[in-house]
Structures are given as C-alpha cells and as structure tokens.
Amino acid sequence: MQFAEGLSDRDAADAVRTRIDWKYLLGLELSDPGFNYSILSRFRARLVENNAEMSLLQGLLERWHDLGLVRERSDMRTDSTHIIASIRDMNRLELVGETLRATLNVLATVDPAWLCTHVESDWYLRYAKRFERGRLPESKEGKTAGADQIGRDGMFLMEAIWDPGAPAYLRSLPAVETLRRCWVSQFWTDQGVIHWRLAGNLPPSPARIDSPYDLDARYGAKGTTEWVGYKVHFTETCSPGMPNLITNVDTTAAHQPDIAHVISGQDELAKRQLLPKRQLVDGSYVGSHITLASLRKHGVELVGPVKQNWHRSHIGSGYDLNAFTIDWEGRVATCPQGKQSTGWWTNTTSTGHVVISTKFSRPDCARCTVNTVCTKNGAKNPRKLTFRPREEHESLIASRAEQRTPAWKELYNRRAGIEATFSQGVRAFGLRRTRYRGLPRCHLQNIAVAARSISNGSATIGAVSFQPQHAPPPLRSSDDTSCDISPTVSPTE
Ligand code: SF4
C-alpha cells in the first residue's frame, strides 16, 4: 500500500493512523493508534532476510494463472534497465576521504577513548566535514598529494587497529573492513610507501567499492550510459491477444552482463511453473553458448539478434566464415579455392569460452589469385579462421540465417514493447533511482514497482485486444431492447 501510493515511511505510518480507507483495508479499529514509522524499515529487513519479497508479486501471479492470463510455455520478453544507487556520486579522491571519515565516525561512536589516544588532533580539521563540502585540489599533482595524505592516514589507522594491543572487536567492525577493502583497491605500497593507484592500475569493478555507504552499488556502463548502482531485469508475457504481465524481476549489480541473467532468470520462472516457450531478448542476452544452454536446460528458445560476421564479405568483397567448409572429424577447413588449412588449435578465451583456430599455409595464400580480398594483407599473412565448437558454430550460422527472414523480424518486433513497461516504471513509479541501500532492498523496491505497475494495469493492456477467458455475465439479456441506458442492476449492487 505504501508503494501503491508512493509514500515515505513517515507518510505511510501517518496514513495508517489517520486514514479511514487504510484502517478498513488493514482491518484496524478506528481508534487504532498505528505504529512508529521506523517499524517499516524493520519490516522490510524481515521480508528480505526471509526471502519473502517475491510474495508481493507471487499472489498476483497465482491469481492471473487461475484466470488464464499467464500460462507456461507462452511467449515472453526480457530486458534490463539501470538503477541509480541512493548515494552521492563521488570521484576517487572523495571516495577515499569519505571512506576514512565514515570509519572514524564509527570508531568515535564505538570506542571514543581509544580513538582519541591513537589519532592526531589535526585529523579533526581534516575529516570532520564531508568531503564534498570542502574545496578539493584542481590540479593533478594536488589531487595525488591529497590522496596520498589520506592513504597514509588510513594506513596509520589500520596499523593501530591491527596492533596486538588494540581491542580485538575493532578489527571486526564492518566499517574497518570497508576501509581495508577500499585501500586495497585504491592504493599500492612500495617499500612501505603508500601510493594512489593511477586510473589504468585499478582492479575491475567487482573488486572495488564505489561508496562506503552502499557496498553493493557498483559502476556499470551500457552503451553511452554510465552509472553507479544496480541493474533490474523484467520478464513479461507477450503472446498475441493477451495482456503483458510481468512474471519475473531480477536485480543484479550494475557490472554484471545481461547474458549472465538468462539461466538464473529461467530458473526462477521454472520454480513458478512459468517457463516461456520463446523468450525475446536484445543482443546483449544472446550468444551461441547461452542459446544452447537455454534449450538444453529449460527447453526455452532464446530469440535475439546474434552478432553478425563483420568480415569484408558484408561490403561485397571477400570470404566470410560461411564460405569455408569445415571437416569437424578431420579437423581441417577447406577454402573456396580448394586449399586445406594446416593447423587446428583449441583455446579458452578470457571469458571462459572455447574457440577453435585454424590457418592456411603461407605459400598457398601467397600464390592465390584472390588473396587481396580473402586476407588482410594480401600475400603477407595467410588466412586464419576462428570459430566456436561444432554445435555452437552450427547454431550461430542457423541463427544468422534465420534472423534475416521476415517471419523472424515480425516475431522480434514484439520485444520492443517492454521498453514501454520500463518507461512507465521510471516515469510513474520511481524505478530509476532506488530508495534503499544494498542490493536486497533495491530488489524489494523493484518487485514493488513491478507489482504496482501491473496492478495499475495501464502498462500491460496497452493496445492489445484482450478477450478474458471468463467474461463477466451480461448485465441484461441480449433480447432486452426496451431501454438503452437504464441498467438492470442498481448501482449499489
Ligand atoms: S587467400 Fe588462402 S585461404 Fe583465401 S582463398 Fe586464397 S588460398 Fe584460400
């Protein structure tokens, strides 16, 4: 109810205490005094701890299933959008300064006596104010010097905390662990001297923290969009003549690729017996290995545009992979000029995918009359081929051919409708920015937005001509033409 009306915790608690419609819905006496607004935060924590957040959507899904509005093995579509974390955007200098400041604040609360005896008095001037309130150095040298100073202070504090004479509980404080993680990712030491990492020497996004106040929020980028926060995937039905209803909500860290969601999302749908027959997705969800994995594990056909082969054959000259014949048993490829490759290597890429490479002999390609269009440097370098193992390769070739057909394009057009669902979530229900910190609570908000979006109805029906299975009974008999405007039931009925 709080999400349905977009209320803050204080306003929701006020509504319970003062509004007759809320008391009626909650079954409360008119004289019920309600509760303190902080109860709602604890209630959300209990929902998240017990994995009960999906019950917000589950009740609706079961009802729709009973009404025949959603069913297993229908068509569904999936897409994702970015969620901005409920934190201030910080540059790296602000990040390290704010992380140290947050740790000092916790230590000042937990053990002020220990802190007073272990830090210098000038730290108060340096770390009393939030970093965004002060003036940060503008030059590169000034920023590096400022960061090195903060790095030395943080190192000094951690050495004091890890000293055998320091109370052991200080080392178990979450804020101290956050400080340690931040320093590992933002600094390096050389013979005891601490240095700020340069931009090219940073660990990847999963190993970093982007704010001491939300440890799950991560830097993400998709196309030209960059953000710090999360990513939400919605799956909704899209069969012709049926309403579009959200069947799954999945929230991930911002850096996780869309393709990593495919199988986990289908696992969730399988638990609810709502697996689709075909799942329409954009290019970031598809790849030959995931298409096969989806078919094998859940029997779901993944429909999305696979990457085209960007060889020069697309501009009218040269031979792409399709022009070569591959003998999988003999481990040899034959080129359009009838020459055979001379090697066969199986490698694993940095992303964990198996690829096969083969190449043609230098003398063959040097003498070839079409080497200027087949190879990159004419006679200098022989032609090389890289492709996936047989099953994946054949699936990829079939997908590329299929997605050029009008029938595939007509089917894939249905995927675009999910953008309207996101648009409504963002514009009407505050999907773009999370109210809460931490991935579990962000997920709870996303489920509430999905439930609100489909309860509202406008996101799902749209221009679809929907015929419900159980049509409501007519208000009057069809042969009753005595009056065009008078209802046969009274308004109270
Ligand atoms: S350049 Fe080499 S691989 Fe290409 S067609 Fe000629 S012989 Fe075959």
Side-chain angles (χ1 to χ4, degrees):
M1 288 163 67
Q2 181 186 2
F3 270 99
E5 299 201 8
L7 301 181
S8 66
D9 285 0
R10 285 172 195 260
D11 289 343
D14 277 348
V16 172
R17 191 172 60 254
T18 60
R19 281 177 51 179
I20 194 168
D21 53 342
W22 278 51
K23 284 189 189 294
Y24 179 78
L25 276 167
L26 294 170
L28 300 175
E29 295 292 331
L30 282 177
S31 55
D32 193 288
F35 48 80
N36 186 278
Y37 68 90
S38 60
I39 295 283
L40 289 170
S41 176
R42 279 181 252 160
F43 172 66
R44 283 192 294 272
R46 277 171 49 211
L47 276 181
V48 168
E49 279 162 20
N50 295 292
N51 298 321
E53 65 273 20
M54 195 58 201
S55 56
L56 286 173
L57 196 58
Q58 189 61 31
L60 289 170
L61 284 172
E62 284 168 9
R63 180 75 181 130
W64 296 329
H65 189 267
D66 293 345
L67 291 170
L69 299 179
V70 290
R71 52 176 181 258
E72 204 171 14
R73 298 300 172 189
S74 57
D75 290 344
M76 294 188 194
R77 56 194 180 198
T78 299
D79 201 2
S80 68
T81 193
H82 63 284
I83 308 286
I84 300 167
S86 177
I87 50 172
R88 187 180 174 278
D89 246 356
M90 288 186 275
N91 61 36
R92 286 183 52 218
L93 183 57
E94 289 173 326
L95 169 66
V96 291
E98 209 42 50
T99 304
L100 181 53
R101 205 183 75 85
T103 310
L104 289 170
N105 274 340
V106 171
L107 291 172
T109 309
V110 172
D111 198 339
W114 180 88
L115 187 65
C116 286
T117 53
H118 285 81
V119 300
E120 301 296 326
S121 56
D122 63 338
W123 281 38
Y124 180 80
L125 295 174
R126 226 178 285 157
Y127 300 109
K129 280 194 300 185
R130 291 185 73 95
F131 267 70
E132 70 265 22
R133 290 205 186 149
R135 287 194 64 180
L136 295 175
E138 289 181 6
S139 69
K140 194 175 172 185
E141 295 74 26
K143 283 178 190 168
T144 307
D148 284 347
Q149 174 68 57
I150 296 168
R152 284 194 295 276
D153 290 349
M155 205 66 191
F156 177 84
L157 185 66
M158 281 189 280
E159 282 169 0
I161 290 171
W162 261 271
D163 185 88
Y169 66 85
L170 293 181
R171 294 189 278 278
S172 62
L173 292 173
V176 171
E177 174 59 14
T178 304
L179 179 72
R180 189 192 68 76
R181 281 176 59 193
C182 183
W183 256 235
V184 167
S185 62
Q186 297 292 338
F187 296 97
W188 60 284
T189 54
D190 180 23
Q191 298 179 349
V193 181
I194 194 160
H195 300 281
W196 200 30
R197 288 182 189 272
L198 298 178
N201 189 25
L202 287 168
S205 188
R208 296 202 305 255
I209 61 165
D210 289 286
S211 168
Y213 304 115
D214 188 345
L215 300 181
D216 293 338
R218 288 285 182 282
Y219 169 81
K222 190 174 182 183
T224 55
T225 307
E226 296 179 59
W227 75 101
V228 175
Y230 306 94
K231 194 188 272 186
V232 64
H233 304 261
F234 279 179
T235 299
E236 67 175 13
T237 54
C238 63
S239 293
M242 296 294 287
N244 307 127
L245 301 170
I246 296 172
T247 52
N248 191 34
V249 179
D250 190 12
T251 310
T252 64
H255 63 270
Q256 279 203 1
D258 288 344
I259 206 164
H261 157 80
V262 173
I263 299 299
S264 62
Q266 289 176 358
D267 289 343
E268 282 299 311
L269 289 166
K271 278 187 216 161
R272 283 176 233 134
Q273 299 179 328
L274 281 175
L275 273 173
K277 178 169 175 278
R278 293 181 295 196
Q279 190 174 5
L280 278 58
V281 291
D282 68 21
S284 60
Y285 287 87
V286 287
S288 52
H289 62 291
I290 207 73
T291 306
L292 286 174
S294 167
L295 266 177
R296 277 194 206 118
K297 186 166 185 193
H298 291 298
V300 177
E301 183 188 342
L302 210 56
V303 181
V306 293
K307 278 185 189 157
Q308 285 297 337
N309 190 353
W310 293 113
H311 191 263
R312 280 178 295 167
S313 59
H314 276 268
I315 54 172
S317 69
Y319 301 127
D320 68 9
L321 200 52
N322 293 344
F324 293 77
T325 309
I326 300 172
D327 178 358
W328 298 95
E329 281 77 29
R331 294 160 66 91
V332 67
T334 306
C335 76
Q337 296 293 316
K339 304 296 181 194
Q340 292 197 323
S341 62
T342 56
W344 186 277
W345 303 273
T346 304
N347 299 311
T348 305
T349 64
S350 58
T351 51
H353 300 306
V354 176
V355 291
I356 296 166
S357 305
T358 185
K359 69 173 183 177
F360 292 84
S361 82
R362 191 182 297 272
D364 281 347
C365 290
R367 284 194 294 269
C368 180
T369 53
V370 294
N371 61 16
T372 50
V373 295
C374 180
T375 64
K376 275 186 184 165
N377 294 315
K380 284 186 185 167
N381 293 324
R383 178 71 188 261
K384 291 179 187 167
L385 299 177
T386 301
F387 43 87
R388 292 293 176 88
R390 183 173 191 172
E391 209 177 354
E392 288 185 35
H393 176 77
E394 288 173 353
S395 160
L396 197 61
I397 299 290
S399 299
R400 280 177 184 155
E402 192 188 7
Q403 71 190 38
R404 293 190 199 111
T405 62
W408 187 92
K409 287 176 185 169
E410 192 181 336
L411 170 65
Y412 187 65
N413 278 345
R414 274 195 251 148
R415 191 213 68 85
I418 199 166
E419 305 294 349
T421 305
F422 281 127
S423 179
Q424 188 194 41
V426 169
R427 284 163 180 77
F429 307 134
L431 180 66
R432 178 66 72 226
R433 188 175 281 274
T434 177
R435 295 175 171 204
Y436 309 120
R437 289 175 183 168
L439 192 140
R441 289 190 183 212
C442 176
H443 183 51
L444 172 65
Q445 176 178 333
N446 294 336
I447 290 173
V449 167
R452 188 182 172 197
S453 170
I454 33 193
S455 310
N456 185 286
S458 55
T460 57
I461 305 300
V464 173
S465 161
F466 167 58
Q467 298 294 323
Q469 268 192 358
H470 308 286
L475 289 180
R476 58 183 185 173
S477 63
S478 56
D479 56 354
D480 179 9
T481 56
S482 56
C483 178
D484 285 331
I485 55 171
S486 304
T488 54
V489 291
S490 73
T492 49
E493 287 174 291

